[in-house]
Amino acid sequence: MKPSAEEPVLLAELKPGRPQQYDWKSSCETWSVAFSPDGAWFAWSQGHCLVKLIPWPLEEAELCKASERKGHGGKAEARSRGGAKEKTLECGQIVWGLAFSAWPAAGDPDGAAGLSCLALATGLNDGQIKVWEVQTGHLLFSLLGHQDVVRDLSFAPNGSLILVSASRDRTLRVWDLSKDGRQVQVLTGHMQWVYCCSISPDCSMLCSAAGEKAVSPTAWQPVPLSATFPVLPLCEMPPCGKEQALLWSMRSYTLIRRLEGHQSSVVSCDFSPDSALLATASYDTCVIMWDPYTGEQLRTLRHVPLHSALDYSSDVHTSSLRSVCFSPEGLYLATVADDRLLRIWALELRSPVAFAPMTNGLCCMYFPHGGFIATGTRDGHVQFWTAPRVLSSLKHLCRKALRTFLTTYQVLALPIPRKLKEFLTYRTF
C-alpha cells in the first residue's frame, strides 16, 4: 500500500445562522466536532451556547441547505431524514467538549436499566456536563463537580456508559451514566488546565494532557476537591523537565506512566484503532507517536510551515498544533495547526502526504467509516474534506487484529522473528 498524495477537497461547509440576542459572554468558536460511533449523527458546537445535531449521512446539496438554516431554540428542526430530526440544543453556556456514547452493551442489565439510548455529552464553560438523548434532544443529566471549564470528554467505546471529563480545574472525573450519572472517581495529578482526554479503544487506558512540565513533589499543591468522592493520591513526581501527558489505567484508575517529550503544552491526543499507538499534539509544532505500553517515542512529526501557503510571518509558532486524530483503519493521521493548514500523514512517513488550506482551524475528526474529515473553526463553521481511502494490506489487517488483544510486551515474548516483532509493534511499517 502506497500513501495517497491526493489533496483533500472541500466537500461542504456548514455555517451557523445569525444568533438572536445571546449573552455577551457567548463566543462563536467551534471548539469540538463529533460523529456518533455508528456514523449516524454529527454534532458541532457552533458557538453562542448552541450545539447542532444532524442525522447522517446527508447529501452535499442538503449540507449546503443546512448551512443556510438558522437554529430556533432547543426544538427539533422541521426537516427530518428517515425519522431522525435535525436539532439545536441550547446549552446555556459556551460549549467546549462533545462526545457521543457508544450504544449500551447488548445483554448488559445495568446498562439497559440506566440508559438504553444514544447520548451526547456536552462540556460547558461553567463546569457542568449536560448529557442529551440524541434521538429526542431531551436533557438526561446535568453532571456537577468540576469547578471550571470542561474542556474535553471521552466515552468508553465498549458501551459501558463510562464517561471521562477533563477540566481547567486540573482534574479528570469519571462518571457512570448507567447509574444515573454517578461520579465514581476523581483523578488528580495535573498542575495546569487539562486540555484533553482519550480512552483507548480496548478501554484499558486513558490519556490526559495539560499545559505543564513535569515538576518536583515540593512544587505540587493539591487541588481542593469535595470529600464526598474518592480522590487518588498523587504518585511521586519526576524532576522538572519536558511537557508531559499522563497515562492512566481504566481498570484501577491509577497512574501508569508519564509521557515526557514535548517542549510546550500538549493540547490533543488520540489512540490508534488497535490501541497500540498513541498520538499527542502540542503547541511545540510536533506530534509524537508513542507506544503506550512501554512509553517509548516511536516517531515525531514536525509541522514545518509551507511558505507558499502562508501570507504572514513564518515564525515557528504559526505551526502550533490544535488537534490530532487517527483514521478509522489506523494508517493515517490528520492534524490541524495554526498555520492555516489541515495535514494528512501516512504512519510510515515523516512528512505529510496531503494538505488543505483552512482558516483558524481548532479541531478535526474522521468519519467513523473513513473517506472524509470534519474540521471546526474559530468562526463557528464546520468544513468536510475528502480523505484518502485505502485498502489495508493483509499484513496491516493481521497486525491490527493481533494488537487489539496483545500488548507490546506480549508481542515481544512471542517466539517469532525479530523483524516480525518490529512490524507488529510499529517499529517498522
Side-chain angles (χ1 to χ4, degrees), residues 225-236:
L225 295 166
S226 169
T228 306
F229 301 100
V231 179
L232 294 186
L234 183 70
C235 300
E236 183 182 358

Side-chain angles (χ1 to χ4, degrees), residues 261-343:
H262 286 289
Q263 304 299 318
S264 188
S265 300
V266 183
V267 295
S268 182
C269 58
D270 195 28
F271 284 92
S272 62
D274 58 6
S275 303
L277 296 172
L278 171 67
T280 56
S282 167
Y283 288 156
D284 67 5
T285 78
C286 293
V287 168
I288 297 179
M289 286 171 46
W290 308 81
D291 184 323
Y293 296 103
T294 65
E296 181 182 351
Q297 294 184 35
L298 302 181
R299 186 150 298 188
T300 299
L301 308 179
R302 303 186 185 280
H303 288 61
V304 179
L306 297 182
H307 302 288
S308 60
L310 302 175
D311 57 2
Y312 52 88
S313 169
S314 61
D315 183 275
V316 67
H317 295 292
T318 61
S319 291
S320 296
L321 270 294
R322 291 289 175 177
S323 184
V324 63
C325 62
F326 273 94
S327 62
E329 81 289 328
L331 289 171
Y332 290 91
L333 278 172
T335 60
V336 169
D338 282 348
D339 61 0
R340 305 182 182 182
L341 288 174
L342 165 69
R343 291 172 171 85

Side-chain angles (χ1 to χ4, degrees), residues 28-141:
C28 64
E29 293 92 348
T30 293
W31 291 108
S32 187
V33 294
F35 289 101
S36 62
D38 60 0
W41 289 90
F42 175 73
W44 99 89
S45 56
Q46 62 174 27
H48 304 288
C49 311
L50 301 178
V51 170
K52 182 73 77 175
L53 264 173
I54 300 175
W56 210 261
L58 294 181
E59 299 299 332
E60 184 174 348
E62 292 178 293
L63 286 173
C64 294
K65 291 178 182 178
S67 70
E68 299 170 358
R69 290 195 302 274
K70 301 179 180 180
H72 301 283
K75 298 179 181 179
E77 303 275 340
R79 275 186 2 91
S80 64
R81 182 179 178 90
K85 294 182 178 180
E86 180 179 311
K87 302 168 185 67
T88 301
L89 307 178
E90 282 193 353
C91 297
Q93 291 282 330
I94 298 170
V95 181
W96 291 80
L98 294 174
F100 281 97
S101 69
W103 284 96
D108 181 357
D110 292 333
L115 185 66
S116 58
C117 60
L118 185 66
L120 175 72
T122 57
L124 306 183
N125 200 62
D126 63 355
Q128 281 193 79
I129 302 166
K130 290 187 176 181
V131 182
W132 310 80
E133 183 178 357
V134 170
Q135 192 66 32
T136 64
H138 294 157
L139 181 64
L140 297 172
F141 305 110

Side-chain angles (χ1 to χ4, degrees), residues 104-316:
D108 181 357
D110 292 333
L115 185 66
S116 58
C117 60
L118 185 66
L120 175 72
T122 57
L124 306 183
N125 200 62
D126 63 355
Q128 281 193 79
I129 302 166
K130 290 187 176 181
V131 182
W132 310 80
E133 183 178 357
V134 170
Q135 192 66 32
T136 64
H138 294 157
L139 181 64
L140 297 172
F141 305 110
S142 289
L143 308 179
L144 304 177
H146 282 298
Q147 305 301 310
D148 208 333
V149 172
V150 177
R151 188 61 186 85
D152 199 14
L153 297 160
S154 183
F155 271 102
N158 61 1
S160 64
L161 297 175
I162 293 295
L163 172 68
V164 175
S165 55
S167 171
R168 285 185 181 176
D169 67 9
R170 302 178 291 173
T171 70
L172 297 129
R173 293 172 188 255
V174 184
W175 315 82
D176 190 345
L177 300 193
S178 70
K179 298 179 180 177
D180 296 322
R182 181 170 68 91
Q183 183 174 255
V184 298
Q185 197 70 62
V186 179
L187 307 181
T188 63
H190 284 292
M191 302 299 102
Q192 301 293 334
W193 295 350
V194 187
Y195 284 109
C196 59
C197 61
S198 180
I199 300 175
S200 62
D202 66 2
C203 297
S204 66
M205 296 173 285
L206 165 70
C207 180
S208 62
E212 65 199 2
K213 294 182 184 293
V215 298
S216 63
T218 57
W220 178 74
Q221 295 295 326
V223 179
L225 295 166
S226 169
T228 306
F229 301 100
V231 179
L232 294 186
L234 183 70
C235 300
E236 183 182 358
M237 302 291 283
C240 295
K242 296 182 177 181
E243 303 285 339
Q244 60 177 346
L246 303 186
L247 201 62
W248 310 81
S249 167
M250 281 297 291
R251 297 185 176 95
S252 62
Y253 299 122
T254 55
L255 186 64
I256 299 173
R257 66 174 47 86
R258 292 175 177 80
L259 304 174
E260 298 175 40
H262 286 289
Q263 304 299 318
S264 188
S265 300
V266 183
V267 295
S268 182
C269 58
D270 195 28
F271 284 92
S272 62
D274 58 6
S275 303
L277 296 172
L278 171 67
T280 56
S282 167
Y283 288 156
D284 67 5
T285 78
C286 293
V287 168
I288 297 179
M289 286 171 46
W290 308 81
D291 184 323
Y293 296 103
T294 65
E296 181 182 351
Q297 294 184 35
L298 302 181
R299 186 150 298 188
T300 299
L301 308 179
R302 303 186 185 280
H303 288 61
V304 179
L306 297 182
H307 302 288
S308 60
L310 302 175
D311 57 2
Y312 52 88
S313 169
S314 61
D315 183 275
V316 67

